[in-house]
Structure formats: structure tokens, C-alpha cells
Amino acid sequence: MYFSYKAQNASGDIVKGISLASTREEAEIFLAQCQLTPLSVTQKKGTVKIPKKKISLLFRQFATLFRAGVPAGIIMDTVLEGEKHKGVIAVVQALKCDIQMGTSLSEAFGKYNYIFDRFTIAMIGVGEEQGNFADAFTRIADQLESSQKLASQI
């Protein structure tokens, strides 16, 4: 289950999106944390699925931007600007809000363990410990691409 929303940001603009929250209350809390005032929050059936190829591309983008020295918040904005897949947008918006609130990247990704596997979350934790997100995200993207290639050969 997930929720679609229409909300107003601090500038007064109306924004639409989806929240991966489990309950309406969690969705409204998420919006408040993102400094959005909910105008409508509607429960949707089903789950938001993100294709593995999209996830590997997302990590490849993160790796490239971290390697260029771009801060995490700006990376999230950059990804959001060019993304069309509603699942990717929802996850990146949630990650951005978590990061803005001071949550570590590994904790933020860990909240979505139904999208990101343990290996991915652990590698992000290693990147935090070593202060090298670029290498961590590159390894994640490489591993995802390798497993996709192997799966296509079977």
C-alpha cells in the first residue's frame, strides 16, 4: 500500500507525489517532515515496484555525483529533476527528507529494506564508515548489473 498526496510547500506551490508510508498518519508525518502541508492524502492499493535496472541506474547516478563532490541533498534534487518513474521519485523524495532531518544514508536506505537488499544497505554503511560513498555506490551498481546480466543468461 502507498499514498498519493497533494500538498503545499513553504513557497505556497502545490506539489503532488506519493508516500511509501504504511498508514495515513505516517504519510502525513512524512509530509510534515518534508515541510509540506497536506491538502489531500489518498490511500492506493498495491505496492510501488521499482525495476532492478532502474535501481542500478539510480546507484550509478549517485556514484557519479558523489565522485564529483556533489552533496547528498543536491544529488537527490538532481535525480528528482530528471526522473519519471513514480517509485523512484517516491523513494528519492523520502531519502531526501530523511537526510535533511539528519538521518544517515544507511539508516535512510534501511527504511526501505523491501526495495533495497541487505547487501546494498551494508555497502552504504561501509561507505559512511570510510567516508567514500562514490566507491560504495559504484560497487552496488556493479553488483546489481552483474546479477541482472546473470539472471538474463539463465
Side-chain angles (χ1 to χ4, degrees):
M1 148 178 27
Y2 64 98
F3 294 83
S4 67
Y5 65 83
K6 188 167 142 182
Q8 188 172 25
N9 65 17
S11 304
D13 299 324
I14 303 298
V15 293
K16 294 179 182 180
I18 62 173
S19 169
L20 302 175
S22 302
T23 66
R24 181 184 181 88
E25 292 77 26
E26 283 181 18
E28 290 173 349
I29 290 169
F30 165 76
L31 293 171
Q33 290 171 338
C34 294
Q35 299 176 346
L36 296 171
T37 303
L39 302 174
S40 68
V41 178
T42 308
Q43 182 177 342
K44 300 291 185 178
K45 293 186 183 210
T47 59
V48 174
K49 296 189 182 201
I50 303 174
K52 297 276 188 207
K53 189 168 186 141
K54 277 279 189 193
I55 293 174
S56 63
L57 179 60
L58 178 68
F59 283 113
R60 188 68 64 198
Q61 288 175 300
F62 285 167
T64 301
L65 292 168
F66 271 117
R67 187 160 278 107
V70 179
I74 294 174
I75 289 173
M76 302 299 168
D77 287 337
T78 302
V79 170
L80 288 169
E81 283 176 17
E83 189 54 57
K84 303 255 186 284
H85 190 276
K86 70 179 181 178
V88 174
I89 292 169
V91 169
V92 173
Q93 284 175 331
L95 292 169
K96 179 183 172 188
C97 286
D98 286 337
I99 291 165
Q100 287 174 334
M101 293 181 50
T103 303
S104 71
L105 272 178
S106 61
E107 286 180 77
F109 277 90
K111 289 181 178 181
Y112 305 98
N113 60 2
Y114 55 93
I115 296 172
F116 305 110
D117 62 24
R118 285 184 282 163
F119 168 80
T120 298
I121 296 164
M123 283 301 296
I124 294 168
V126 169
E128 282 174 340
E129 289 174 13
Q130 296 178 347
N132 192 346
F133 285 116
D135 283 351
F137 283 115
T138 298
R139 287 190 179 115
I140 293 166
D142 290 345
Q143 189 273 332
L144 289 169
E145 290 164 1
S146 292
S147 67
Q148 289 168 26
K149 185 176 180 181
L150 181 62
S152 72
Q153 294 173 350
I154 295 176

